[in-house]
Amino acid sequence: QFYASGSAGIIIGIHNAGNHLALSPGAGLLIPVSKNSGLDLGVKLIGVPTGYSFSENSFLNKGGYSFLTCRLAYIF
């Protein structure tokens, strides 16, 4: 079974990194193994839009980056 997902949240920075809004679309595939269990394969792209910042701040403080996450889970 194919599925799509989406989420939004806040990335909380530590050690002088700023807090930012994060948007995250994803998709996955649920593969049944038995009647009550299965494998869940998923990918999610987490995007952090560029926010207001001082020019000397690093890219972690400014935003404007994204990263791809992969997940393999066993459901029981």
Side-chain angles (χ1 to χ4, degrees):
Q1 298 175 350
F2 176 79
Y3 65 88
S5 66
S7 59
I10 301 269
I11 293 179
I12 300 172
I14 58 173
H15 301 293
N16 298 323
N19 300 333
H20 290 285
L21 172 71
L23 304 172
S24 175
L29 183 63
L30 181 60
I31 303 167
V33 174
S34 68
K35 183 178 179 179
N36 295 324
S37 64
L39 289 175
D40 182 7
L41 307 170
V43 293
K44 186 181 283 191
L45 178 66
I46 300 173
V48 181
T50 303
Y52 297 106
S53 181
F54 297 108
S55 59
E56 65 270 8
N57 285 345
S58 71
F59 74 95
L60 291 176
N61 285 335
K62 293 179 183 178
Y65 55 90
S66 60
F67 49 95
L68 184 68
T69 62
C70 300
R71 180 186 67 233
L72 171 63
Y74 180 72
I75 300 169
F76 55 92

